[in-house]
Amino acid sequence: MSDLSEKDIEIFIEAIGGYFKQITQEAASIGVAYLAKNAFPLNDFTGMIRVSADYDGALYFSAPSAMLRHLLTVMKETNQSEENLLDAVGEIANTISGNARKYFGENMVISIPEKIAGLASMLNEQSRRHAYVIIIKWKHYSASLIVDISRLR
Amino acid sequence: MARTGTPSALNKYSGIIFAVTLFLVFNLAVLALNFYTSSTLNNDAVSINLAGRQRMLSQRTTKVLLSIQVDAAQGQYNDKNTAELKKVASLFDTTLNGFKTGGTVVGGDEKPVGLEKVNDAIAVQSVDEALRIWQPYKKLLEPVINSKVIDETSLDAATFYARENNLKLLKLMNDLTSQLEKNTKAKAGNLQLIQTIALVLSLLLFANIVFNALRKLRAADGEIEKAQRETTEILNTVKEGLFLLDPQLAVGSQFSSSISKILQHDISANIPFMPILEGLVSPEIYSSAKDYLDLLFGNKVKENLMRSLNPLTQVKVQAKSDVAPRYLSFQFNRVVEEKRVLHLLVTVQDVTEQVTQAEELMALKGQSSINLGLLSKLLQADVFQLRQFLNNVHTGLEAVNVILANADKRSANHEDLANQCFRIIHAIKGEASVIGLDAIETHAHQFEEHLVLLRKKSSWDAQEILSLPVMLSAMLEQISRIETIVNLIQSHHESANTVQQQPSVSTRVGNNLLRLTEQVSKNQNKNVQLKLNLALLDEMDTKTANQLQQIGIQLVRNGICHGIEPTAMRLTKGKSAQGEISISAQASPEGVIDFIVRDDGQGIVPSRIRAAMLTSGRYSNETVDQLSDKDIVNKLFEPGFSTANNTDKDAGRGVGMDLVQSLVNEIGGELKIDTKPDVFTQFTFRIAKHASPSINLNATEAFA
């Protein structure tokens, strides 16, 4: 079992950065990056994709509701129901999986994103001993990208 | 191809040899037959000759007899006639008997000649008939021959008989002659036939020999041609470069077609090899290759003994037309005949792919698994010490992670962040070095180098921010692999009931510092002795003891790298050749504890530090001038300050004193420096009284 490379992780970050830049004309940036064990810094809404084949684990994009509401506003979406907020976080997860598919090819099988509201931060199914936590900043909001993926082959 | 030696050559040509022998024997036999027949013919000629003479003699006898009668009628007697009659009658008689029985008779030249008796039935009959007529004739002639006077009665009787039988006798002698001639003719005909047959047979034999010889020659030529064709095919298809080198180091006439591609040079027969090699390899390798080839052509050293000397076993080459360097492998084998090296068979392979793969594999192994060197270190190391070390590393790396996670919450700038991480990683590196875990030391060193790069930047981009947890993760992975092994070792010890006695803290720290001294002085090529007095550490809590060990590590390292002079310099200063560093923990009667590290090196001399600062190029003249001597010494404790010209694992990062200062601050107390140029430097850490609760007189804390 080995680690993802720096470049592999950047693919996910670039996907998020690119999404915000395209939708809001304002790029998202990285605040901090560190390792997390067991306790993930999850927010109100989380989009999750699972990976398999040569890889194992999952990837989470978790954003606070305020950030998603702001995003919907920028997108001129007035319906800010929980359903729509989940859709927004799901769309970002979708973008990440699209980019990942392009980059990793058939070596990484990627599931359809799951959208979860109020996911517990204590996960008992962590893949890696330490997952990567990357705090993504957009405007004054902070979302987290959690990469809990290990390479099997 | 099979070797052609004498025995097989005999086998190969046995057919031809047999045919030639047969040809000779046959011809000799024919010759012998010829001799025999011609001698028989010779005898036959004598017989024919004498038979012919008998015809003449029969007529002569009659003629002389009639002459004698004519003479007698005239009353005359001529003794000459009588003598001639005697002679011709006797000659006829002996010859006729000769024909009957064989024997010696008088020949035509009055000399004796051998006459064979006749065997042919007709001839025998003629001779017998003639004898039957001759015997009475002879008797009738005898009185005529013997009488010295005219004896008319005898004469008439003889003449009468002669008239009656002369023609019969002539005919019989004629028949004999004809028969003998006929026989001889038949014999000559047979001989001719035999000779013709012999000639034909001999010609056939000869033709057979020629045909066989030609066929064999053609077959041999065909084999040679086939062998040559096969050799050419092999040389055209073989992937390896193959060629022969003669003693003048020129390429032989046959070489594989791939050689030009491998050497990136057009190869032709008799082209000198060395200039081609010269264009491929470095001058050093070229010259040792030349020596090696000379050695191979000399017969003195055994080939297999020399194989390890071959400088071209795996050589990096770059021809003018090569985009990237390649690796070639040359092998040389002697071609020996009669104990003389005629040629060298050279085999060249392009092994670039194998070498690259091996390198990649090595790199991969280094990255992803525990190498054997590390494993053997782990097996040798003290398990308690390893546990302690792993705990410290975990604590340290978790601290780094906390720093990273809180990076944007504090107002701290990136430089501070890098420095904080740096101190922790540096401590891990020091401790890894002390217990000899090179792999972790190297990893920590790489982490440090990365932090040095980041420290210089005012802001970090996404990649740089991300790089830190990635490096941290890699180190954690490495540590966890080591933990797995340590667990295995420990459980093995436990199951085998060979649990090691836990050494005392002072012994452990002492051993670590001794190992460090040995290692760093070896790296720095210095001769250093470490003296220890650390018994007091056994009375402290583990945390403080570890912190003091950390201070010891940094100060011993600095002492060896910057304090202790090289042996030659020490001797010129009148010092002992071996430098000395002493570490002691002492308690005063008042309960004040001093941790002292002292070396008998060159001391801390502000002027030298100033000079080193200028030489390093990192400080301007102005900056250096503005600083007081005290400032200069204080500089030693600033993060990133170093006077070492080169950065290596032991020194040059400029973080050692920074770490010492931060450890002193953590424990609490004050650090004092005493130094005298060219005599000594002493660091005295007086542990603050308020820190005294950390002293535990009954320390038994296990390393969890």
Side-chain angles (χ1 to χ4, degrees):
Chain A
M1 199 141 71
S2 69
D3 211 344
L4 289 185
S5 74
E6 207 173 298
K7 195 161 179 239
D8 295 341
I9 302 167
E10 273 171 37
I11 295 303
F12 306 126
I13 300 171
E14 277 167 18
I16 300 168
Y19 178 84
F20 278 95
K21 180 92 202 239
Q22 197 190 339
I23 303 295
T24 70
Q25 271 75 48
E26 191 176 333
S29 65
I30 289 197
V32 294
Y34 61 99
L35 300 171
K37 195 174 176 179
N38 301 326
F40 292 160
L42 292 171
N43 297 296
D44 308 336
F45 296 95
T46 303
M48 177 182 77
I49 51 177
R50 291 178 197 277
V51 299
S52 54
D54 286 2
Y55 298 84
D56 178 57
L59 182 142
Y60 309 81
F61 176 75
S62 187
S65 57
M67 182 177 180
L68 295 171
R69 283 203 182 87
H70 199 141
L71 184 65
L72 288 178
T73 310
V74 173
M75 290 162 75
K76 303 196 165 52
E77 173 60 64
T78 49
N79 181 355
Q80 300 198 341
S81 64
E82 187 171 291
E83 204 177 320
N84 265 7
L85 295 177
L86 273 174
D87 278 350
V89 88
E91 207 179 323
I92 294 170
N94 240 334
T95 310
I96 297 169
S97 79
N99 275 30
R101 265 195 202 98
K102 220 181 285 171
Y103 173 77
F104 291 98
E106 58 190 18
N107 298 329
M108 185 186 266
V109 172
I110 302 169
S111 75
I112 297 164
E114 291 173 42
K115 299 168 281 186
I116 309 145
L119 189 64
S121 67
M122 290 297 275
L123 294 174
N124 48 13
E125 50 175 329
Q126 186 170 347
S127 167
R128 292 183 53 76
R129 197 173 284 112
H130 299 96
Y132 289 102
V133 174
I134 299 123
I135 303 298
I136 307 283
K137 299 242 173 202
W138 180 70
K139 298 195 182 288
H140 57 282
Y141 306 104
S142 292
S144 26
L145 170 69
I146 296 148
V147 182
D148 178 25
I149 297 174
S150 41
R151 187 197 292 255
L152 302 179
R153 278 182 281 273
Chain B
M1 225 168 79
R3 240 166 62 86
T4 49
T6 329
S8 62
L10 263 181
N11 262 347
K12 199 169 161 186
Y13 299 114
S14 62
I16 290 181
I17 291 169
F18 177 71
V20 170
T21 315
L22 194 67
F23 177 75
L24 288 174
V25 168
F26 181 77
N27 275 346
L28 278 174
V30 171
L31 199 63
L33 184 69
N34 259 348
F35 268 116
Y36 169 74
T37 323
S38 49
S39 76
T40 319
L41 286 178
N42 237 359
N43 290 340
D44 286 358
V46 170
S47 297
I48 291 166
N49 230 357
L50 291 177
R53 195 178 68 176
Q54 288 295 80
R55 277 192 313 203
M56 180 271 284
L57 286 174
S58 73
Q59 296 316 295
R60 192 87 179 259
T61 307
T62 306
K63 191 186 159 196
V64 176
L65 185 64
L66 289 174
S67 296
I68 291 170
Q69 196 194 27
V70 171
D71 283 348
Q74 291 168 5
Q76 287 172 7
Y77 174 79
N78 191 344
D79 61 345
K80 275 187 186 169
N81 283 339
T82 312
E84 190 181 354
L85 182 63
K86 187 186 175 183
K87 187 186 165 190
V88 293
S90 158
L91 203 54
F92 183 83
D93 181 57
T94 52
T95 307
L96 190 60
N97 280 308
F99 275 119
K100 175 68 182 174
T101 57
T104 308
V105 297
V106 179
D109 48 2
E110 303 289 323
K111 283 177 185 169
V113 64
L115 177 64
E116 283 183 345
K117 69 172 190 176
V118 290
N119 297 316
D120 177 72
I122 297 168
V124 168
Q125 201 190 342
S126 301
V127 170
D128 285 347
E129 187 70 11
L131 274 171
R132 201 181 49 76
I133 294 171
W134 173 253
Q135 295 301 344
Y137 193 13
K138 186 183 156 188
K139 276 205 174 83
L140 289 171
L141 285 176
E142 267 169 14
V144 178
I145 292 162
N146 293 329
S147 173
K148 300 289 180 192
V149 291
I150 300 162
D151 179 358
E152 284 196 5
T153 318
S154 304
L155 198 57
D156 284 344
T159 317
F160 178 76
Y161 192 85
R163 281 196 180 121
E164 281 292 305
N165 293 293
N166 179 39
L167 286 174
K168 285 183 197 165
L169 206 56
L170 177 64
K171 185 180 177 288
L172 285 169
M173 287 301 103
N174 215 16
D175 288 349
L176 176 66
T177 311
S178 312
Q179 189 56 39
L180 288 175
E181 276 177 349
K182 204 174 141 189
N183 285 350
T184 305
K185 209 172 172 184
K187 248 188 209 171
N190 281 343
L191 181 65
Q192 252 182 349
L193 185 67
I194 289 170
Q195 278 182 329
T196 313
I197 291 171
L199 186 70
V200 169
L201 281 176
S202 137
L203 277 173
L204 281 175
L205 255 176
F206 183 72
N208 177 40
I209 289 168
V210 170
F211 174 74
N212 270 330
L214 279 176
R215 207 185 54 181
K216 287 244 157 93
L217 278 173
R218 272 194 57 183
D221 284 353
E223 266 176 37
I224 293 170
E225 228 172 79
K226 193 181 163 200
Q228 276 180 344
R229 204 170 49 237
E230 281 174 0
T231 312
T232 314
E233 270 173 24
I234 290 170
L235 289 176
N236 280 342
T237 41
V238 73
K239 256 169 68 184
E240 284 88 3
L242 290 172
F243 61 93
L244 288 173
L245 263 191
D246 64 16
Q248 283 73 46
L249 301 181
V251 175
S253 61
Q254 287 205 311
F255 42 81
S256 64
S257 55
S258 54
I259 188 68
S260 299
K261 196 184 160 207
I262 292 178
L263 296 181
Q264 289 288 310
H265 196 287
D266 282 336
I267 300 295
S268 55
N270 299 322
I271 190 171
F273 173 63
M274 294 316 282
I276 301 171
L277 187 65
E278 197 172 12
L280 287 173
V281 301
S282 68
E284 295 80 33
I285 290 188
Y286 172 76
S287 110
S288 49
K290 204 165 180 301
D291 293 344
Y292 180 68
L293 290 178
D294 287 345
L295 219 56
L296 274 176
F297 271 113
N299 290 343
K300 286 173 193 156
V301 191
K302 279 189 180 171
E303 188 174 331
N304 49 3
L305 292 181
M306 292 179 62
R307 208 153 286 157
S308 61
L309 301 178
N310 181 3
L312 303 176
T313 311
Q314 184 180 303
V315 63
K316 196 175 183 178
V317 300
Q318 187 151 23
K320 278 173 194 158
S321 47
D322 280 335
V323 195
R326 293 179 301 139
Y327 290 90
L328 296 184
S329 163
F330 289 78
Q331 272 168 40
F332 301 90
N333 294 89
R334 283 171 172 164
V335 181
V336 182
E337 204 173 282
E338 288 170 359
K339 296 183 176 176
R340 223 162 50 84
V341 182
L342 282 189
H343 286 103
L344 295 179
L345 171 64
V346 188
T347 316
V348 197
Q349 279 176 294
D350 189 330
V351 291
T352 311
E353 207 173 310
Q354 289 95 308
V355 173
T356 322
Q357 276 174 1
E359 278 173 358
E360 279 170 7
L361 207 65
M362 283 297 287
L364 214 63
K365 270 187 182 165
Q367 279 170 11
S368 63
S369 66
I370 300 284
N371 61 38
L372 280 178
L374 176 56
L375 193 59
S376 86
K377 283 271 169 58
L378 291 177
L379 285 170
Q380 285 162 18
D382 166 9
V383 176
F384 295 106
Q385 187 183 352
L386 278 174
R387 285 244 169 269
Q388 180 67 49
F389 168 68
L390 292 173
N391 275 343
N392 292 348
V393 175
H394 268 300
T395 316
L397 294 181
E398 265 159 36
V400 170
N401 198 34
V402 170
I403 294 170
L404 296 181
N406 295 310
D408 64 341
K409 287 178 188 162
R410 290 183 185 176
S411 54
N413 61 24
H414 285 134
E415 196 182 343
D416 285 343
L417 194 123
N419 282 336
Q420 286 168 25
C421 295
F422 209 122
R423 273 197 293 275
I424 298 167
I425 300 297
H426 192 71
I428 292 173
K429 185 174 100 169
E431 215 173 334
S433 149
V434 158
I435 52 173
L437 293 179
D438 300 350
I440 296 179
E441 193 189 354
T442 308
H443 216 141
H445 190 70
Q446 286 167 355
F447 205 152
E448 279 187 354
E449 291 199 330
H450 186 64
L451 285 168
V452 167
L453 286 177
L454 292 187
R455 188 160 65 185
K456 288 176 188 161
K457 299 196 170 183
S458 53
S459 69
W460 297 347
D461 62 20
Q463 196 190 344
E464 283 157 351
I465 295 172
L466 187 60
S467 67
L468 292 172
V470 169
M471 292 199 91
L472 192 63
S473 167
M475 238 174 136
L476 279 166
E477 287 288 327
Q478 192 184 29
I479 295 296
S480 81
R481 280 195 294 268
I482 292 173
E483 265 174 341
T484 312
I485 292 172
V486 173
N487 287 341
L488 282 172
I489 296 171
Q490 196 168 26
S491 66
H492 172 75
H493 281 319
E494 278 165 9
S495 69
N497 244 344
T498 54
V499 181
Q500 292 168 337
Q501 196 63 43
Q502 183 174 337
S504 70
V505 174
S506 62
T507 312
R508 175 170 60 78
V509 171
N511 285 342
N512 287 348
L513 292 171
L514 283 167
R515 212 178 293 117
L516 175 83
T517 306
E518 194 185 320
Q519 193 186 322
V520 177
S521 50
K522 191 176 152 204
N523 286 351
Q524 298 294 321
N525 206 13
K526 290 189 181 164
N527 184 0
V528 184
Q529 190 193 20
L530 184 68
K531 287 194 170 169
L532 297 166
N533 174 18
L534 297 172
L536 202 59
L537 259 56
D538 293 334
E539 293 169 26
M540 295 183 193
D541 67 299
T542 321
K543 191 185 170 197
T544 312
N546 281 335
Q547 284 168 325
L548 289 177
Q549 173 182 276
Q550 226 7 289
I551 293 174
I553 289 171
Q554 302 307 328
L555 292 180
V556 165
R557 205 194 287 273
N558 276 346
I560 298 170
C561 293
H562 305 295
I564 304 290
E565 309 92 330
T567 308
M569 194 190 282
R570 287 181 64 86
L571 291 174
T572 57
K573 286 180 182 175
K575 293 177 163 183
S576 64
Q578 190 176 47
E580 187 186 296
I581 296 179
S582 63
I583 306 181
S584 60
Q586 298 165 359
S588 72
E590 297 83 41
V592 176
I593 297 174
D594 283 334
F595 184 73
I596 301 166
V597 181
R598 179 187 172 105
D599 71 67
D600 67 346
Q602 61 182 352
I604 298 173
V605 185
S607 63
R608 288 187 195 145
I609 298 172
R610 279 179 209 276
M613 284 167 81
L614 290 173
T615 321
S616 76
R618 287 193 285 262
Y619 303 92
S620 68
N621 265 332
E622 263 180 24
T623 321
V624 175
D625 285 345
Q626 278 171 5
L627 297 170
S628 69
D629 281 359
K630 221 170 180 181
D631 289 339
I632 291 282
V633 176
N634 275 332
K635 269 269 168 204
L636 297 179
F637 293 90
E638 276 185 18
F641 178 82
S642 175
T643 57
N645 284 329
N646 296 312
T647 298
D648 56 33
K649 276 186 185 174
D650 296 324
R653 281 273 167 268
V655 84
M657 296 309 293
D658 174 25
L659 180 59
V660 170
Q661 185 64 63
S662 95
L663 285 164
V664 165
N665 292 344
E666 273 177 44
I667 301 170
E670 62 180 41
L671 188 66
K672 193 175 125 198
I673 304 175
D674 295 297
T675 181
K676 191 173 175 190
D678 295 329
V679 181
F680 77 96
T681 304
Q682 178 172 312
F683 292 89
T684 309
F685 172 36
R686 178 154 292 182
I687 299 173
K689 282 216 169 153
H690 66 82
S692 56
S694 72
I695 293 185
N696 175 3
L697 291 170
N698 301 304
T700 51
E701 187 185 325
F703 306 113

